[in-house]
Amino acid sequence: MGTPPGYRPSAWVHLLHQLPRADFQLRPVPSGFAPQEREYQQALLLVVALAGLGLGLSLILIAAYLIRVCCCQPPGPPGTKSPPPGGGCVTWSCIAALLIGCAGIGIGFYGNSETSDGVSQLSSALLHANHTLSAIDHLVLETVERLGEAVRTELTTLEEVLTQRTELVAATRGARRQAEAVTQQLQGLAFWQGVPLSPLQVAEDVSFVEEYRWLAYVLLLLLQLLVCLFTLLGLAKQSKWLVIMMTVMSLVVLVLSWGSLGLEAATAVGLSDFCSSPDTYVLNLTQEETGLGSGDPINPGTPWILRPLCPALPGAVSNPFQQRLTLSQRALANIHSQLQGLEREAVPHFPSAQKPLLSLEETLNVTEGNFHQLVALLHCRGLHKDYGAALRGLCEDVLEGLLFLLLFSLLSAGALATALCSLPRAWALFPPSDDYDDTDDDDPFNPQESKRFVQWQSSI
């Protein structure tokens, strides 16, 4: 099956799509996008579980490193206050890790923006497609109602007026049959009427989820930025309480980073499976939602409802509605010619037939105007453009943003793990706080100065 115009799966899509997948029993799972299948769901959950495993290993390694540093370090000579060897290296490694984390925050902001732009493009394409489908249904219903009213009133009145001329009655009944044929053909064009799968509802749901996702990532990025900045401030000021507080916060952000990494990886893998062959899933989903699996007279194996959305199908033509549009146009032309003949033949002998004929001419003019709008709306290139725009937003911008967010989570996890290993050793190098050493000799509240003042008063 071909891909829509303007969209080609990227190299990242092919790379992620080729990754092996397995369920909880480690049995291979096909890489086709099937979110309703239990095995495929387990494969994506296993990707999230791998991130949880990475978090567990990180915490174990951090704990083992700190235990080794605390318990296996040889004690120094008593009375010495010199810092342990390698102390400066520990502090600078912590600072370097935090600076790398700050660079990762910038990458995260860019990835979050790219993902939001892609979702906005997807929602816009869905809304435009919904507007097109709603306009088609509205025009079809309006035209069918007008033609039905004309058949019930004007044509019936004409038959009653022209009962004395059988050939004119036959022409009027021919116009009735042509109007009924147009009505039947047009009713088949309202293909989205009553379908539970609404592009408008999908766009609203996607926008709702994206709003909270964007906000959650902004808060996570700001939280990590504050942790990095306050940790650097604590190291510069040699404030032990601030460094201890930021160490606890770094542990919290480390857990959140690994969690977001798992969600991003699973989403990117699932999105690559969809983007590798989007037409297949969209066709199957629409067939399940609508039940229109064999209504295409051109290609019975393809859901007719999505023929405009999925080009390059086997045996497809340029416009699946062309046959109905052509038949309707011919029927309208026949009605016009028959009404013109009736106007020439009947009005001179039956003046009362002029009013229903004029009303019929007006109805046909409105019908032809609606018909030309339908031809423009049912043009395949319009829906192809919406379909391609939705795929480009989802499979290019969103996937690229997810990959940048994945890189941010990796850098964040690595930087915070390094900082958690270095911070306890760094605050151990801070000079001890001694209240008596920091007091001024001229300070009247100095205990030693107060003692000397008392001794001086007693000696007087």
Side-chain angles (χ1 to χ4, degrees):
M1 185 175 295
T3 55
Y7 167 73
R8 292 292 182 274
S10 64
W12 287 110
V13 171
H14 291 296
L15 178 62
L16 294 174
H17 185 62
Q18 296 300 323
L19 294 177
R21 291 152 179 75
D23 57 10
F24 291 161
Q25 287 75 33
L26 299 182
R27 294 175 299 192
V29 175
S31 58
F33 187 68
Q36 71 281 358
E37 299 292 336
R38 182 178 179 183
E39 291 78 10
Y40 189 81
Q41 296 173 1
Q42 291 182 359
L44 295 182
L45 289 176
L46 190 61
V47 176
V48 180
L50 290 177
L53 179 62
L55 172 62
L57 291 176
S58 298
L59 295 178
I60 292 174
L61 291 176
I62 292 172
Y65 176 79
L66 294 179
I67 291 174
R68 176 182 176 276
V69 169
C70 295
C71 300
C72 302
Q73 184 177 0
T80 61
K81 295 185 179 180
S82 61
C89 181
V90 171
T91 303
W92 282 109
S93 65
C94 182
I95 294 174
L98 292 174
L99 293 177
I100 292 175
C102 292
I105 293 171
I107 296 175
F109 274 110
Y110 176 77
N112 197 35
S113 177
E114 279 292 303
T115 304
S116 181
D117 292 342
V119 173
S120 298
Q121 184 175 351
L122 170 64
S123 300
S124 177
L126 289 173
L127 292 175
H128 191 270
N130 182 77
H131 175 73
T132 301
L133 297 173
S134 301
I136 291 172
D137 291 343
H138 175 73
L139 286 173
V140 168
L141 291 178
E142 180 184 356
T143 305
V144 168
E145 289 179 0
R146 282 182 174 272
L147 287 177
E149 184 68 20
V151 169
R152 289 189 301 268
T153 57
E154 283 85 0
L155 288 175
T156 302
T157 303
L158 273 179
E159 290 183 9
E160 295 175 354
V161 171
L162 303 175
T163 51
Q164 298 178 4
R165 298 281 297 272
T166 56
E167 70 277 9
L168 298 181
V169 173
T172 304
R173 290 177 180 175
R176 177 193 290 270
R177 287 192 297 269
Q178 293 292 337
E180 292 174 349
V182 172
T183 301
Q184 184 179 2
Q185 294 295 333
L186 290 179
Q187 285 177 345
L189 297 179
F191 59 91
W192 208 263
Q193 185 179 4
V195 174
L197 183 62
S198 172
L200 176 61
Q201 185 63 41
V202 174
E204 290 178 351
D205 293 341
V206 168
S207 299
F208 177 79
V209 174
E210 170 59 20
E211 181 179 357
Y212 285 96
R213 185 212 63 81
W214 179 86
L215 180 61
Y217 266 100
V218 168
L219 293 178
L220 176 61
L221 290 166
L222 292 177
L223 176 62
Q224 182 173 347
L225 180 62
L226 291 176
V227 169
C228 292
L229 293 180
F230 278 104
T231 303
L232 292 173
L233 179 63
L235 292 175
K237 293 288 188 178
Q238 293 188 346
S239 174
K240 183 174 292 187
W241 69 269
L242 184 57
V243 171
I244 292 175
M245 183 182 299
M246 290 301 105
T247 302
V248 177
M249 293 301 300
S250 298
L251 182 62
V252 174
V253 178
L254 177 66
V255 175
L256 294 176
S257 298
W258 277 105
S260 64
L261 188 146
L263 294 177
E264 294 151 7
T267 305
V269 170
L271 192 57
S272 68
D273 294 339
F274 170 78
C275 296
S276 63
S277 182
D279 292 352
T280 302
Y281 176 74
V282 172
L283 286 169
N284 293 335
L285 175 64
T286 309
Q287 183 176 358
E288 293 175 1
E289 293 288 337
T290 62
L292 301 177
S294 58
D296 188 357
I298 302 170
N299 193 352
T302 303
W304 179 55
I305 196 169
L306 274 187
R307 290 297 295 265
L309 302 182
C310 300
L313 294 173
V317 294
S318 59
N319 193 331
F321 306 106
Q322 189 63 46
Q323 183 178 3
R324 292 179 178 270
L325 294 174
T326 302
L327 293 176
S328 300
Q329 189 173 13
R330 290 175 182 174
L332 288 174
N334 292 333
I335 295 174
H336 260 299
S337 62
Q338 290 173 350
L339 291 181
Q340 289 175 0
L342 287 172
E343 188 175 359
R344 289 192 306 268
E345 299 292 336
V347 172
H349 302 90
F350 303 94
S352 59
Q354 185 174 7
K355 183 177 180 180
L357 283 173
L358 292 176
S359 179
L360 282 172
E361 287 288 346
E362 182 181 357
T363 301
L364 284 179
N365 291 333
V366 175
T367 301
E368 286 187 343
N370 293 343
F371 181 79
H372 290 305
Q373 294 183 44
L374 282 173
V375 172
L377 290 173
L378 289 171
H379 202 289
C380 284
R381 283 182 295 182
L383 291 176
H384 286 169
K385 183 179 179 181
D386 295 332
Y387 185 50
L391 288 180
R392 287 192 299 274
L394 185 64
C395 300
E396 293 178 3
D397 294 340
V398 172
L399 184 60
E400 180 183 354
L402 284 175
L403 292 177
F404 276 106
L405 289 175
L406 190 65
L407 178 60
F408 149 71
S409 297
L410 285 173
L411 292 176
S412 174
L416 292 174
T418 304
L420 286 172
C421 291
S422 304
L423 284 176
R425 294 188 63 187
W427 83 54
L429 301 176
F430 294 168
S433 58
D434 190 352
D435 297 334
Y436 296 100
D437 293 340
D438 293 340
T439 55
D440 192 358
D441 292 339
D442 296 333
D443 187 358
F445 297 100
N446 188 342
Q448 296 180 0
E449 185 67 23
S450 300
K451 185 177 180 181
R452 287 196 296 269
F453 180 75
V454 171
Q455 291 176 357
W456 175 73
Q457 283 187 337
S458 61
S459 63
I460 293 179

